[in-house]
Amino acid sequence: MADKKATLKVDGVEETLELPVYEGTLGPDVVDVRSLTGKGLFTYDPGFVSTAATESKITYIDGGKGVLLHRGYPIEQLAEKSDYLETCYLLLHGELPTAEEKETFLSTIKNHTMVHEQLSHFFNGFRRDAHPMAIMCGVVGALSAFYHDSLDIHDDHHRVVSAHRLIAKMPTLAAMVYKYSIGQPFMFPRNDLDYAENFLHMMFNTPCEEKKISPVLAKAMDRIFLLHADHEQNASTSTVRLAGSTGANPFACIASGIAALWGPAHGGANEAVLNMLEEIGDESNIDTFIAKAKDKEDPFRLMGFGHRVYKNFDPRAKVMKQTCDEVLAELGMENDPLLKIAMKLEKIATEDEYFVKRGLYPNVDFYSGIILKAIGIPTEMFTVIFATGRTPGWIAHWNEMISSDYRIGRPRQLYTGHEKRDYPAK
């Protein structure tokens, strides 16, 4: 039931329209405009920035206050006290697991990390220099060709099995993409390692030599996954939901999310940070580029500073900064030229009145880019890792939609083309 009513008077419409207004647990009220179509009216909202296309219980963001909640839990608390797979369980099931539930969940994920051997042959169809995201789109979508036993989207058990398979296999596929690009053999996952350790093992070990994974780096990787696990109704999540509304299988839906995430305006932000640092090139050039960033007429922008959603600070950035410091200390890379540029930019952005006044603080992409670079992950792999971390959020939203009374997505348009006209006589 609606909590309030809104009235709308439109020129040319004789009656005043009464529209229901709904109150969420948190956030702005929502005006229900569905009845407008019966009056021959649509709303106009490019980018859907003022439109709530769904009702959700998963994630809440207040950008003005720097708040990010997963199922009600602040992201800072989850990053400090939880881990990635426990957060996956929370997103999927709505509550934190008991000790027994967590152990069962961890065991299930570990036992689904391998991919069908035939899938490895798919990689041979790609060029070695193909962008990793191009390959990820293909191989994730291809999973539906191997798992016919869990494609009934209206079966609760099938959806759970698909969720487990996707979460478990994404790091395996991501590592395979990297190994393929450098011509090394694929590494099998190991069930004795935890999620992040296993990913780093498959990325950097070889059949000739298996090195012990640093606990500091594994913790950093786990935290990167956790801090990217979900971010409400963003472009890729909305893409997953729109694809899912057609009844498409979950693997195809997640592949569509990967495609949307590939866009530089969305998932490529931490890659853009490293490209910016390389463009600056040397600490002696920082003042020049800071001046360019302040010049409205100059196209140069500081990447990794400020955020479209968070207007004061990104709540994930503080946690990621701590992790960044730990990783650089562990690897002894405090004097790396690019990282020294990054640290000086961070200092300027947090002290310079120009940046402070405009809320151009370092965000999660700034620090995650530095961490991934320090670990040795190439920049073209950054978005693949983002997709791996975001998978449980995509699945949770897809599952929430399929479990509800949903309709196929069908946005409207404001048509500004030609009126009806006749084909010219010849």
Side-chain angles (χ1 to χ4, degrees):
M1 295 293 291
D3 304 292
K4 305 174 185 175
K5 297 287 185 181
T7 57
L8 177 66
K9 179 61 178 175
V10 181
D11 290 343
V13 178
E14 295 182 2
E15 61 184 304
T16 297
L17 305 177
E18 192 173 78
L19 304 173
V21 178
Y22 299 96
E23 294 182 7
T25 308
L26 298 167
D29 293 347
V30 176
V31 180
D32 186 342
V33 298
R34 286 176 290 182
S35 63
L36 292 182
T37 56
K39 305 296 181 182
L41 297 170
F42 300 150
T43 57
Y44 182 63
D45 183 21
F48 307 111
V49 294
S50 300
T51 298
T54 187
E55 178 182 323
S56 180
K57 294 180 172 66
I58 299 171
T59 295
Y60 172 74
I61 295 172
D62 185 329
K65 296 179 180 178
V67 172
L68 171 58
L69 307 177
H70 290 329
R71 301 289 190 178
Y73 293 100
I75 190 64
E76 301 93 330
Q77 293 182 22
L78 291 173
E80 178 186 354
K81 301 176 181 180
S82 184
D83 56 54
Y84 178 65
L85 285 183
E86 184 176 66
T87 302
C88 289
Y89 185 98
L90 172 67
L91 291 171
L92 292 172
H93 298 285
E95 297 292 342
L96 291 169
T98 64
E100 182 178 355
E101 288 170 337
K102 183 174 181 179
E103 185 59 35
T104 300
F105 185 67
L106 296 183
S107 176
T108 300
I109 297 302
K110 284 184 177 181
N111 288 322
H112 280 84
T113 52
M114 289 185 65
V115 297
H116 196 288
E117 184 63 18
Q118 193 174 343
L119 191 66
S120 65
H121 300 304
F122 278 51
F123 287 82
N124 295 327
F126 294 97
R127 288 172 51 127
R128 293 277 179 177
D129 60 353
H131 194 286
M133 286 293 278
I135 303 177
M136 281 296 283
C137 286
V139 295
V140 172
L143 289 175
S144 59
F146 292 89
Y147 299 111
H148 303 291
D149 61 336
S150 60
L151 295 184
D152 183 353
I153 65 172
H154 300 297
D155 185 300
D156 292 347
H157 179 66
H158 281 204
R159 294 202 304 274
V160 169
V161 170
S162 293
H164 292 166
R165 282 175 169 160
L166 279 160
I167 292 171
K169 297 179 193 308
M170 283 294 285
T172 305
L173 293 172
M176 291 173 76
V177 168
Y178 173 64
K179 288 296 194 183
Y180 182 74
S181 72
I182 60 175
Q184 288 187 0
F186 300 141
M187 291 296 292
F188 289 119
R190 282 173 41 186
N191 289 353
D192 61 316
L193 300 177
D194 69 23
Y195 195 86
E197 285 178 324
N198 206 11
F199 174 67
L200 294 175
H201 153 71
M202 292 186 289
M203 282 284 291
F204 297 116
N205 282 334
T206 70
C208 304
E209 183 180 15
E210 290 197 18
K211 299 178 182 178
K212 181 177 173 57
I213 303 300
S214 161
V216 173
L217 301 189
K219 178 185 176 183
M221 200 71 248
D222 188 86
R223 190 164 278 177
I224 286 176
F225 286 146
L226 188 156
L227 293 176
H228 289 89
D230 189 48
H231 211 235
E232 205 223 64
Q233 307 301 326
N234 52 77
S236 58
T237 300
S238 297
T239 299
V240 170
R241 292 182 64 100
L242 193 60
S245 75
T246 70
N249 72 73
F251 304 105
C253 293
I254 299 307
S256 75
I258 294 171
L261 189 71
W262 191 358
H266 187 10
N270 49 14
E271 185 175 347
V273 170
L274 267 294
N275 292 336
M276 175 195 70
L277 296 178
E278 290 174 355
E279 182 181 357
I280 294 174
D282 188 88
E283 285 185 88
S284 62
N285 298 326
I286 288 179
D287 289 343
T288 299
F289 279 90
I290 289 293
K292 286 165 65 69
K294 293 179 178 180
D295 183 356
K296 294 181 179 179
E297 303 301 319
D298 194 298
F300 176 79
R301 294 291 179 268
L302 283 182
M303 306 305 297
F305 292 84
H307 196 282
R308 180 183 177 184
V309 173
Y310 301 109
K311 302 308 179 186
N312 290 318
F313 67 95
D314 184 339
R316 304 166 296 175
K318 183 178 180 181
V319 178
M320 197 62 89
K321 172 177 168 48
Q322 176 190 345
T323 303
C324 184
D325 293 339
E326 293 170 355
V327 167
L328 297 184
E330 169 75 3
L331 297 174
M333 295 185 66
E334 297 92 334
N335 294 319
D336 179 272
L338 284 186
L339 300 181
K340 287 179 73 175
I341 294 173
M343 294 302 100
K344 188 167 182 180
L345 284 176
E346 175 198 34
K347 188 174 189 299
I348 291 172
T350 53
E351 296 177 357
D352 189 301
E353 183 181 357
Y354 177 89
F355 298 103
V356 173
K357 185 177 179 180
R358 290 164 175 78
L360 298 177
Y361 45 80
N363 61 34
V364 68
D365 299 308
F366 178 77
Y367 293 113
S368 64
I370 294 171
I371 293 170
L372 294 174
K373 196 270 183 186
I375 290 175
I377 295 172
T379 54
E380 60 268 20
M381 279 292 296
F382 286 6
T383 316
V384 171
I385 290 172
F386 191 159
T388 301
R390 181 55 55 85
T391 296
W394 287 335
I395 299 169
H397 284 276
W398 170 81
N399 186 52
E400 182 180 61
M401 180 188 69
I402 299 298
S403 304
S404 66
D405 183 20
Y406 68 97
R407 298 179 63 183
I408 184 172
R410 190 19 176 119
R412 301 293 186 168
Q413 67 173 17
L414 174 65
Y415 177 69
T416 55
H418 288 286
E419 295 182 0
K420 180 183 176 182
R421 51 181 176 169
D422 294 324
Y423 190 84
K426 292 185 180 180

